[in-house]
Amino acid sequence: MSGLLLEVENLATHFALPHGILRAVDGVSFTLHAGRTIGIVGESGSGKSVLARSIIGLLPADRTLEAGGRVLFDGRDLRRLGEAQMRSIRGKEIAMIFQDPMTSLNPVLTIGRQIEQVLRQHTDLSNRAAAERAVELLAEVGIADPRQRAREYAHRMSGGMRQRVVIAIALACNPRLLIADEPTTALDVTVQAQILELLRRLQDAHSMAMVLITHNLGVVAEMCDEVAVMYAGRIVENGSVADVLQGPRMRYTEALLQSAPRIDTPSHARLPVIEGQPPNLIAPPPGCRFAPRCGYRDERCDSTQPEWTQADDNHGFACWHPVEGL
């Protein structure tokens, strides 16, 4: 196995709001080795995107309370670095792809110029060499007529092409870690498959590690080596993709899998849903945070946080009434 690249230890990121402290990420731990991919899954509001931004240090300073934990990247604790040091790491060693490419592309700069900015920031390339490299990157991510496209603006491109541009920007300096936050959410199924295949090919070519944030369990099964399931700011189960998806132990993971559409489901059959709503993270329940929505709850679930249990070396979960092992 490749060496350990990223180690997140008991990470907590809270936000100060007018009506209380919101515990968006509340004690998250996981590891990632070089060249591997971990999927972070869970419902909207579970803390996935805040976790990603916490790792890379992209949070609003005026409202963020860094409540604890460490983010070790190749042995360096990113939470102890200053903003100038983080700017030298972002884009060069760690890159991020955001959900909506239009929010990360500048509408008044050409596509080529935006790629060139990253190259000039982190490399010694001349302006001319950076411009040529920008064209090469557009070709690498599958954009036809890259020299012409480099002179165009984002609004003239389709959603799939804009996402390819964002990927080109992210990979411009051959980062060691790529964080992809719902990179295919707004795309149709065909374009989604193309983008995922592109990410996989580029990851292999550059030997990157990747954190893939998604709500799509099919994407996790196809793209990831490991998976961590988040609920209400915490990881409630993690392990290899095969262990978690084929033999879930935590009841929330089981419910997520049951609510996913299946091709063998009879036509017009009612899709199972997880009843209720995620808890208020300003005042979360004292016990298991999934308990109010769980059909297996008892008094212990309501009063005491479940202990972390290792099913085996590569599979752990937190549940008082786990699914029986297969």
Side-chain angles (χ1 to χ4, degrees):
M1 181 179 290
S2 301
L4 184 63
L5 181 65
L6 178 68
E7 188 172 6
V8 177
E9 297 180 351
N10 200 31
L11 181 64
T13 300
H14 300 171
F15 296 109
L17 302 180
H19 44 293
I21 304 300
L22 189 145
R23 298 165 175 81
V25 174
D26 201 17
V28 166
S29 299
F30 68 90
T31 59
L32 180 62
H33 288 76
R36 304 273 288 179
T37 300
I38 185 170
I40 309 292
V41 302
E43 293 171 284
S44 296
S46 60
K48 305 186 300 298
S49 293
V50 175
L51 171 61
R53 290 173 177 268
S54 298
I55 292 171
I56 203 170
L58 289 177
L59 292 166
D62 58 333
R63 291 186 290 116
T64 304
L65 303 175
E66 294 186 351
R70 300 195 301 170
V71 178
L72 299 176
F73 177 70
D74 198 22
R76 293 169 290 175
D77 188 350
L78 300 184
R79 283 208 155 186
R80 292 184 175 274
L81 301 183
E83 180 57 27
Q85 292 171 298
M86 284 302 300
R87 281 199 301 269
S88 70
I89 292 174
R90 293 189 206 109
K92 182 178 182 181
E93 297 186 68
I94 304 176
M96 187 164 178
I97 301 171
F98 297 93
Q99 291 186 34
D100 182 359
M102 282 304 286
T103 63
S104 49
L105 293 175
N106 190 326
V108 300
L109 292 180
T110 64
I111 294 303
R113 181 61 61 86
Q114 293 182 65
I115 301 175
E116 292 167 35
Q117 285 182 334
V118 176
L119 292 167
R120 290 199 300 269
Q121 173 72 26
H122 295 294
T123 72
D124 296 327
L125 293 177
S126 65
N127 290 348
R128 187 169 187 173
E132 285 300 314
R133 179 57 183 151
V135 172
E136 292 173 3
L137 284 163
L138 290 177
E140 187 175 349
V141 297
I143 291 182
D145 195 5
R147 196 169 299 278
Q148 173 60 33
R149 291 297 186 181
R151 296 192 288 266
E152 294 182 357
Y153 296 86
H155 71 272
R156 297 194 61 182
M157 296 184 170
S158 67
M161 289 182 65
R162 287 195 293 263
Q163 195 64 288
R164 290 172 186 270
V165 170
V166 170
I167 293 172
I169 292 172
L171 300 184
C173 298
N174 296 328
R176 300 168 65 195
L177 172 63
L178 177 66
I179 302 174
D181 186 3
E182 300 276 13
T184 60
T185 295
L187 306 177
D188 64 48
V189 176
T190 301
V191 177
Q192 173 178 289
Q194 293 171 353
I195 294 298
L196 292 176
E197 177 57 32
L198 172 64
L199 285 174
R200 181 163 42 214
R201 177 171 57 81
L202 294 175
Q203 180 184 23
D204 291 341
H206 298 286
S207 300
M208 290 185 306
M210 185 158 60
V211 177
L212 178 60
I213 295 171
T214 182
H215 62 273
N216 190 324
L217 296 172
V219 169
V220 169
E222 180 181 354
M223 294 287 295
C224 301
D225 303 297
E226 305 153 34
V227 59
V229 181
M230 281 195 76
Y231 184 78
R234 294 178 174 169
I235 289 179
V236 296
E237 184 164 6
N238 69 11
S240 71
V241 167
D243 285 343
V244 174
L245 299 190
Q246 296 176 20
R249 302 300 304 278
M250 203 280 177
R251 292 294 174 176
Y252 174 63
T253 309
E254 179 189 43
L256 274 183
L257 290 167
Q258 290 176 345
S259 64
R262 294 176 56 93
I263 195 169
D264 58 354
T265 301
S267 178
H268 305 298
R270 183 178 178 84
L271 185 67
V273 298
I274 305 175
E275 300 291 345
Q277 297 291 328
N280 180 356
L281 293 184
I282 292 178
C288 175
R289 295 184 176 182
F290 184 59
R293 307 172 71 187
C294 182
Y296 296 86
R297 67 188 288 191
D298 60 17
E299 292 182 2
R300 181 170 60 167
C301 300
D302 289 331
S303 62
T304 308
Q305 295 180 17
E307 299 174 355
W308 188 261
T309 302
Q310 285 296 134
D312 56 46
D313 291 343
N314 299 312
H315 188 187
F317 63 93
C319 186
W320 289 125
H321 300 286
V323 182
E324 292 298 323
L326 300 179

